[in-house]
Structures are given as C-alpha cells and as structure tokens.
Amino acid sequence: MTDADAVVVGAGPNGLAAAVTLARAGLRVHVLERDDTIGGGARTKELTLPGFRHDVCSAVHPMALASRFFREFQLGRRIELRHPEAAYGHPLDGGRAAVAYRDLDRTAAGLGRDGPAYRRLMAPLVDRADGVAAFTGSNLLGVPPDPLTAVRFGLRALEQGSPLWNLRFAEDAAPAMLTGVAAHTILPLPGLAPAGAGLALATYAHARGWPIPVGGSQAIVDALADDLRAHGGTITTGVEVADLAQLPRARATVFDVTPKALLAIAGDRMPHAYARALGRFAYGNGVAKVDFALSGPVPWTNPELRSVGTVHVGGTRAEIARAERDVARGRHAASPYVLVAQPSIIDGTRAPEGAQVLWAYTHVPRGSGLDQREAVTAQLERFAPGFRDLILAAAGRTAMQMEQYDPNYVLGDIASGAPTIGQLLRRPVVSTDPWRTPIEGVFLASASTPPGPGVTGLNGWYAARSALRHRFGIRALPNLSLD
C-alpha cells in the first residue's frame, strides 16, 4: 500500500463520507475495507432468490434529505430517491391503522379525536424541520444551532418520554404510531432518548418524507465511492486491519469502527485513561433480521398500508412497550415489535415482475442466537392474513450473525452503542470534539460518535472536519456539491 495524506478504515457510509470530505479538501485519501464489497450498513444483495435484491441492513432513509452532509453532497441529484405515498403506517387489530403522510393535516385527519392533539404536538417541529435536524444531528454538548427549536423539541420529548405520554391522547391510534417510531432505538419505553428519536423521525416524515433509493441502499455508498474516486481517492477491499502497524504512513487515520475494535487495533498505544473510557462504552440490545421473497404484495387488512414504505408492527402502545421491556430484561418478546419495509412497492428493480421483497427485523437481547423467522411471520400474519402463503423464500439472520456480518454491530447492536441519553452525551467520551482521539493523527468516525446511529454520513463528516483542522490546518469546509 502506498502512502497517503489520509487513510480511512471502513467503507460504510460514515467512512466514505469522511473520505469524500478529505479528498474534496485536496488530500490523497485511501480507504481500506475488510469485506470484499463496500457498503457496511448500506449494502444491497440477493439474499433469498435470484432477482430479489434485499437491503442487508438499512432500507429506508429519513436522513437522506435531513442530514446536512447529504444535503451539501446533493445526494438527491446523484441517485433517484422515491417517496411512497406515506412514510410509515401502524396497523392495529380489527383492520384499523394509523398512517403518517407527508401532509401533516392529512395525517391528523385520520387519527380521529386525537388528530388535533397530534397536530399540536408535531406542527411546531415540522415547521422548523431544519432546526430539528441541526439539533439532533450535532454533538449535544454544543450550543444548539436553533435554541428555540431545541427547547420546543426538548419539552415534547420530555412529555413523550415520561409516564405522562398518554395525557394528550384519548384513543389508541396516535399513541401507537408515535411508539412505533420511538421503538427504532431498541430501548425501554417510555424514555427520553426513544421519544427524541421518534419525534425527530416523525418530523422528517411530515416535512420531507422517508425516501427509498432506487436499486437499494447500495446506491448511496456507490455514489459516495464514485465521488471519492473522481477526486483522486482509492479503495482497497478484502483488507482487515488488526493493528495500527499494518497501515500505510499518513498524517491522519480515520476509523469507521466501534470503540471495542479501536481498542484492539491500537493496543498499548492507547493512553490508559482513554482506553478505560472506551472500555466502559456500553452496547445495546440487538436485532434479528428476516428478508422475504414474496409472490405478491403483503395483504394488509387495512388497504392504506399497501402503499406505505415502512410499517411498524406490534399493536398498541402498551403492547410495544411491553415487548421492548422484555428485550431490555434479556427475554425474547412473545409478541415482538417488528419493523417492516416494503421497497418494491415503488422500486421495480428489487424483484421480478409481480413479486415483492420484504425487509423486516425485530428486537432481541444482545448476543441472541435465536432465529426469528417464525415470530416475525406470525406478527405479519396477524395484521395481514394470508401473508404466509405468499412466501417464496425467507432468509433469517440472528443477532450474533449480524455481528459476524459487520463487527460494528457488537452482539447484534446495529446502533454501534446503546443510544441512551448518557451515551449520546458521552459518545464515546465527554468532549466537544469526540471524533479526535488522544493518539496523534487518529480519529473515530463510526456511529459510536455523535450524532449516533443512522445513515447520515454526519459522523464521518465531523471526523474529517476535525482531522482537517487539527492535522492539516484547514478550517474552510470543502465544497461537496456537484457544481
């Protein structure tokens, strides 16, 4: 391997975002990836049958239009992002459903007596969606870019994250819909961090939508890789970095890995106090994933759900909270929460004509080795009778197999560290520049840094900005646009 100005370890969205930013600043950048293909949490592969293209991890991308990095990178001009008729929906027994349309008024109109209350909760955030994205997409130790929006957001998160979360609602549809997005965090409910994440995701749904990339999530990383190469960067796959001594000489090395991996790679080069802090970094519970090849669309009892990109399956707010508490206590939920994506309803490249791919995962205790295909299928059958008859093939992956696929998913934790409030403030250490490590020239860019999990590119962008400032004396942000 030849010398470079900067080396990036890991070719997931954050590693590639860091590499693009460094290359756009005029540096020679080389990326090393352990797998034979790039992508990390944004790969697309045939997992079930030939012609059925499944997203291996992330599938739907609320942050593609909210992330400042992706906006400056002009992702929407580089790949085709399609919007389902509604961002997400939430089935309830008896054929009922709550549906989150981009139009907040239309959404509220479908929530019965709770429609006005839901609108009052969300409207101030939707109206200031850029402020919400700026606040939640930054290091929480800093001064909020939009303090008024941060206060409004915080007060709502306090309400929805406490035992008072039902006070404003009289029925079950609106609370269930909010709980479905909050449960993305794999944390007990109610809680401040899940409430904050849920409100942010709901805000983006109504303000910009939750787009799906044509061709799969792989399109995002391919666009990043194309831009990197266009600016002189190089990528080598099939190289697992186990020690700093393996790396070519560079003034900056950016790691898209977890603290656990960085500790192993750095060894005794890591200062003791920092090593202890990384050793205390806590990983959360995991996911078990199931991909389905179907002979036709999911037969949801409520027809509105047939044109929805994401479906949160699990029943009422109380049912989902109970399931998530079971996982937090180390038990597999008897009636689990299931996160479902239907990309092929708007992207015909994913499956043969007439057929569909279905993406699903459920939450399990960390380190679980239990295959959840039957549990997921049973929950889908509950709200879509006849679903089982459509299955042509199914591929399951346990929490431990998730880690085998990507070591950043420690024990199946796809968030690369529990996204609790404490660990959002200390991710992985308390610092105004947590991407910079005490080892000279070494930076951390994974989802284990602010702003946390999600395909945002922000973690890598912030790490690259820190490297530019501290190692190269470059303070001006490089232009990332196509123009």
Side-chain angles (χ1 to χ4, degrees):
M1 290 181 284
T2 58
D3 292 347
D5 295 314
V7 171
V8 177
V9 178
N14 283 320
L16 290 172
V20 163
T21 305
L22 294 166
R24 285 290 195 125
L27 304 179
R28 294 172 300 153
V29 181
H30 189 57
V31 178
L32 302 174
E33 166 59 43
R34 69 181 288 274
D35 208 297
D36 292 332
T37 59
I38 64 171
R43 291 189 179 98
T44 304
K45 294 183 176 182
E46 292 183 343
L47 299 176
T48 54
L49 297 173
F52 290 82
R53 292 180 52 77
H54 304 269
D55 288 318
V56 180
C57 291
S58 60
V60 182
H61 296 275
M63 294 303 296
L65 300 176
S67 157
R68 183 181 168 190
F69 169 77
F70 281 137
R71 292 204 308 271
E72 296 202 7
F73 184 67
Q74 297 180 329
L75 182 65
R77 290 179 58 188
R78 297 171 187 267
I79 66 173
E80 185 177 357
L81 294 166
R82 291 185 184 170
H83 290 267
E85 186 177 345
Y88 56 90
H90 195 110
L92 292 162
D93 290 321
R96 297 176 300 132
V99 179
Y101 294 96
R102 186 166 177 178
D103 184 327
L104 179 58
D105 289 334
R106 182 182 178 186
T107 302
L111 294 176
R113 286 191 295 156
D114 285 335
Y118 181 81
R119 194 185 188 289
R120 286 192 297 272
L121 176 73
M122 295 305 307
L125 304 182
V126 174
D127 291 342
R128 303 295 292 271
D130 287 344
V132 172
F135 170 58
T136 59
S138 62
N139 185 357
L140 296 183
L141 290 177
V143 177
D146 182 345
L148 179 58
T149 298
V151 169
R152 288 172 172 164
F153 183 87
L155 290 173
R156 284 161 171 77
L158 283 170
E159 174 202 312
Q160 286 301 304
S162 78
L164 304 177
W165 62 343
N166 284 320
L167 276 184
R168 73 167 65 223
F169 299 118
E171 299 179 335
D172 60 354
M177 188 170 71
L178 285 167
T179 309
V181 282
H184 282 229
T185 56
I186 324 180
L187 292 171
L189 301 165
L192 185 56
L199 289 170
L201 290 170
T203 297
Y204 306 146
H206 298 308
R208 296 190 180 91
W210 285 11
I212 292 173
V214 171
S217 296
Q218 188 76 43
I220 296 175
V221 294
D222 288 347
L224 290 166
D226 289 346
D227 190 86
L228 172 64
R229 294 186 180 106
H231 289 85
T234 57
I235 301 173
T236 301
T237 58
V239 178
E240 183 164 8
V241 176
D243 193 286
L244 288 176
Q246 285 179 247
L247 297 172
R249 286 183 298 175
R251 291 179 64 186
T253 305
V254 180
F255 285 91
D256 184 4
V257 303
T258 66
K260 177 183 177 182
L262 184 61
L263 277 170
I265 292 168
D268 58 10
R269 300 175 185 85
M270 185 76 72
H272 183 63
Y274 188 75
R276 279 193 307 165
L278 295 191
R280 291 193 295 267
F281 189 73
Y283 297 92
N285 286 304
V287 304
K289 187 166 181 287
V290 187
D291 289 285
F292 295 96
L294 304 178
S295 60
V298 178
W300 299 107
T301 304
N302 188 296
E304 279 189 276
L305 297 176
R306 298 174 192 180
S307 58
V308 170
T310 300
V311 185
H312 301 127
V313 177
T316 64
R317 166 170 272 183
E319 286 180 280
I320 295 173
R322 183 164 56 249
E324 296 303 280
R325 282 196 298 270
D326 282 345
V327 173
R329 293 167 180 163
R331 301 194 295 259
H332 291 86
S335 181
Y337 165 81
V338 182
L339 181 57
V340 177
Q342 309 183 108
S344 51
I345 63 170
I346 57 168
D347 180 6
T349 71
R350 305 293 188 93
E353 186 174 356
Q356 300 280 319
V357 297
L358 197 73
W359 176 106
Y361 74 63
T362 188
H363 300 158
V364 294
R366 60 180 63 86
S368 168
L370 187 65
D371 188 310
Q372 290 287 80
R373 273 178 285 193
E374 178 53 35
V376 168
T377 300
Q379 277 291 63
L380 285 164
E381 185 75 19
R382 171 184 170 187
F383 297 102
F387 169 77
R388 194 182 296 272
D389 298 332
L390 298 176
I391 300 172
L392 300 173
R397 184 172 276 167
T398 69
M400 288 308 298
Q401 288 170 332
M402 293 295 289
E403 181 181 20
Q404 291 164 14
Y405 160 74
D406 188 336
N408 279 0
Y409 300 154
V410 177
L411 300 177
D413 174 13
I414 58 172
S416 296
T420 61
I421 289 297
Q423 279 206 162
L424 291 175
L425 294 170
R426 185 185 69 255
R427 198 164 184 92
V429 295
V430 177
S431 172
T432 56
D433 188 359
W435 307 276
R436 185 186 182 193
T437 80
I439 302 176
E440 187 176 3
V442 172
F443 299 83
L444 190 60
S446 70
S448 302
T449 66
V455 180
T456 68
L458 288 168
N459 316 65
W461 187 52
Y462 287 135
R465 288 169 55 178
S466 181
L468 288 173
R469 185 167 60 252
H470 293 292
R471 298 298 291 167
F472 302 97
I474 299 173
R475 293 187 173 273
L477 297 182
N479 177 23
L480 301 176
S481 72
L482 283 165
D483 302 320

